[in-house]
Amino acid sequence: MQKQLNRILVINPGSTSTKIGVFDNDVQILEKTIRHSTEELADFPAIIDQFQFRKQNILEALDEEGMNVSKLSAVCGRGGLLRPIEGGTYAVNEAMLEDLREGYSGQHASNLGGIIAHEIAEGLNIPAFIVDPVVVDELSPIARISGFSLIERKSIFHALNQKAVARRYAKEAGRAYKDLRLIVTHMGGGITVGVHEDGKVVDVNNGLHGDGPFSPERAGTVPAGDLVELCFSGQYYRHEIMKKLVGQGGLVGYLGTNDAVTVEKRIQKGDKEAALVYDAMAYQVAREIGSASAVLKGQVDAIILTGGLAYGKDFVKAISDRISWIADVVVHPGENELQALAEGASRVLDGEEQTRIYPNG
């Protein structure tokens, strides 16, 4: 039986750009990045105030490409900083819009995704969705315990790409995602290692400013006592410490760059410090994967490496050499966020998956 044709517009807002794609089911027929200058964005006091401006940019771009919006079956936006929810494809509703506008868990450009999707879809009388936002929280109760009673471990990670590559692997293996035990490692500006069991991410490091390996821009786990001493040393304001943890941590803090290609070129020219720090990042990723394998009691179907850093063959090899004894290592480089959004919407439109209702699923 032939699938019905669903044309889906997907929207992924970033801080200074908006990426859009149009898919016929899960086949991409258009991709475009709309750049927003600092001067243009300066006219808006808050991120949320940009939605009409960005919406108009999207519609103009589609028109320039000769894309007839009346042919669309659905619009899917990148999920923002919402309440903690289980993974899946969610219909955009009033409760979600309210939390996105207010920035329930913080203000971020991704909050605009659901709002713009709703704005465009409502005018066309078609559904609007978001898929696997960064706040997906499926942690098991035991994984929430931090060891410090005033702080609970949080689930903030690259849910969209982690879930997408896990489902792709399941399809390639001819098995159901919910039947697999996987460790998925997203390696980009931040690095998150997720334990996927029975279709849920039951443990994962907080990739924003929590635990885990350091990354190109983030410090990851640091010695807590030394951090407390630094915070109360009188040398830094709160925002300066936070910047050193997120944005100026990791490779940036040690080597002054977040560009892995630049670091690799320095290593090739004999930069020993760059080699040591880069190898340390791979070492910490491997160590986190090893810890994740303990959650699954060593019964791991596959370890998947994904994200931009997965393009680096030497980096991937440095990790694989340490963890390939656990399970087969599968590499899916890149983020493919537009594709993941389209696939999420397609699963619902094709009846393969039930639409989830925010906030309770």
Side-chain angles (χ1 to χ4, degrees), residues 73-89:
S73 306
V75 186
C76 189
R78 180 74 188 270
L81 298 177
L82 294 157
R83 300 168 193 265
I85 54 177
E86 287 195 359
T89 299

Side-chain angles (χ1 to χ4, degrees), residues 329-348:
V329 178
V330 180
V331 183
H332 280 282
E335 297 190 14
N336 304 310
E337 291 170 332
L338 297 181
Q339 183 80 36
L341 291 170
E343 289 171 357
S346 286
R347 286 193 300 273
V348 164

Side-chain angles (χ1 to χ4, degrees), residues 92-327:
V92 179
N93 59 17
E94 283 303 320
M96 182 186 295
L97 290 170
E98 185 176 338
D99 283 350
L100 289 172
R101 292 182 188 117
E102 291 182 3
Y104 180 87
S105 295
Q107 295 290 350
H108 189 271
S110 61
N111 290 7
L112 295 166
I115 296 171
I116 297 171
H118 169 76
E119 285 279 318
I120 294 175
E122 188 178 45
L124 299 169
N125 196 29
I126 56 176
F129 304 112
I130 66 162
V131 181
D132 292 327
V134 293
V135 293
V136 164
D137 185 347
E138 300 168 335
L139 295 186
S140 64
I142 199 169
R144 298 184 190 280
I145 306 297
S146 70
F148 184 36
S149 63
L150 300 180
I151 298 175
E152 184 179 82
R153 291 187 69 229
K154 294 183 177 68
S155 176
I156 301 177
F157 71 110
H158 304 91
L160 181 64
N161 191 41
Q162 281 214 22
K163 291 270 191 179
V165 295
R167 290 188 183 101
R168 280 176 211 147
Y169 173 79
K171 190 173 182 180
E172 290 165 3
R175 297 177 63 184
Y177 169 46
K178 66 180 179 61
D179 294 333
L180 289 170
R181 298 160 69 86
L182 305 170
I183 297 172
V184 183
T185 302
H186 177 105
M187 306 181 298
I191 295 175
T192 55
V193 179
V195 180
H196 296 239
E197 183 178 24
D198 300 329
K200 296 186 184 300
V201 182
V202 297
D203 202 342
V204 66
N205 62 294
N206 179 337
L208 183 58
H209 47 65
D211 48 5
F214 73 83
S215 73
E217 298 177 351
R218 296 168 197 176
T221 300
V222 296
D226 293 340
L227 179 60
V228 170
E229 291 291 339
L230 199 62
C231 289
F232 287 91
S233 67
Q235 298 178 58
Y236 302 100
Y237 290 107
R238 178 182 178 277
H239 74 274
E240 291 176 311
I241 291 289
M242 289 301 294
K243 195 69 176 173
K244 287 184 177 299
L245 293 174
V246 182
Q248 295 176 356
L251 293 185
V252 174
Y254 285 105
L255 304 175
T257 179
N258 64 357
D259 184 7
V261 175
T262 298
V263 175
E264 289 171 352
K265 287 179 180 176
R266 285 170 59 173
I267 293 169
Q268 289 166 7
K269 292 178 181 178
D271 188 327
K272 292 183 179 179
E273 182 189 9
L276 177 62
V277 171
Y278 205 51
D279 195 41
M281 186 165 70
Y283 169 87
Q284 289 200 6
V285 172
R287 187 177 65 183
E288 191 76 15
I289 292 170
S291 298
S293 71
V295 176
L296 296 174
K297 301 178 182 177
Q299 297 173 20
V300 183
D301 291 306
I303 297 167
I304 304 173
L305 304 180
T306 184
L309 290 177
Y311 284 111
K313 292 181 180 179
D314 291 342
F315 187 69
V316 166
K317 184 178 185 304
I319 297 168
S320 299
D321 285 348
R322 292 185 182 274
I323 50 91
S324 58
W325 59 272
I326 300 170

